[in-house]
Amino acid sequence: MELGAGVHPKVRLRASLLRLHREGWTASRLAIHFARTEQSIHNALTRFEQHGVQGIADALRSGRPVKVLPVHEAVLMGKLDEDRLWTAAQWIEVLGEAFKLQITPQTVRQHLSALGYSWRRARYAPGKPLDPQVEQQHRASLDTLKRGHWTAN
């Protein structure tokens, strides 16, 4: 546990502290070695005696309550089946209208990421081929503008 890469540094420190204590180090020697107070060393040893290995790790902190609930996620999943592009602002608008929910774009992005969706910046490109007649009219207008003859048509 004290060498695990994915283990929190405090937990690794407590595991090292316990190993050295089992080898016969005193609390004062441990305090000097780890640059901690003797009281913090005693606290860590007491936690281990009372709770075992689970006492080494910190308990989960409560944090903020989740704003986007499974009901909201179901609406998001239903809307994602539609054939269209969505922005975070549009998602906020949809959830606000449906549930009177006020969230930030970052919250929407985090929940979509947790659901397994990713996104990228939308491109300004036509989704389907243009009508050749309309395209020719626009190209003619652009050619006129390039020549410096502007007309309001």
Side-chain angles (χ1 to χ4, degrees):
M1 190 182 297
E2 64 184 305
L3 299 176
V7 180
H8 194 278
K10 283 185 178 180
V11 176
R12 287 197 314 251
L13 174 92
R14 291 183 193 123
S16 298
L17 186 140
L18 288 170
R19 183 182 53 80
L20 293 174
H21 181 70
R22 295 284 179 178
E23 291 178 4
W25 287 39
T26 63
S28 58
R29 187 173 174 197
L30 288 168
I32 293 168
H33 180 73
F34 289 109
R36 303 280 188 259
T37 62
E38 281 190 52
Q39 185 61 50
S40 67
I41 302 297
H42 284 294
N43 291 344
L45 295 173
T46 304
R47 280 175 61 168
F48 178 72
E49 288 174 8
Q50 291 175 349
H51 304 288
V53 176
Q54 289 82 15
I56 295 175
D58 290 328
L60 294 176
R61 293 189 167 71
S62 61
R64 286 187 178 177
V66 177
K67 287 189 175 183
V68 179
L69 302 173
V71 175
H72 306 135
E73 289 177 359
V75 170
L76 288 176
M77 297 294 284
K79 294 284 187 177
L80 284 168
D81 291 336
E82 295 177 8
D83 187 29
R84 70 170 277 189
L85 296 175
W86 290 92
T87 65
Q90 290 169 336
W91 284 118
I92 292 170
E93 194 175 305
V94 165
L95 292 173
E97 290 172 1
F99 299 104
K100 305 292 187 244
L101 186 65
Q102 294 181 346
I103 55 176
T104 63
Q106 183 63 29
T107 303
V108 170
R109 287 187 206 106
Q110 287 173 348
H111 281 282
L112 287 173
S113 178
L115 291 172
Y117 287 93
S118 62
W119 55 89
R120 61 181 179 200
R121 181 173 288 213
R123 293 179 44 200
Y124 294 109
K128 56 186 176 183
L130 294 176
D131 180 22
Q133 187 176 7
V134 173
E135 184 179 5
Q136 185 177 356
Q137 289 174 351
H138 287 290
R139 287 201 189 281
S141 297
L142 286 173
D143 290 339
T144 303
L145 287 172
K146 285 178 185 177
R147 282 186 257 136
H149 303 290
W150 182 79
T151 59
N153 57 351

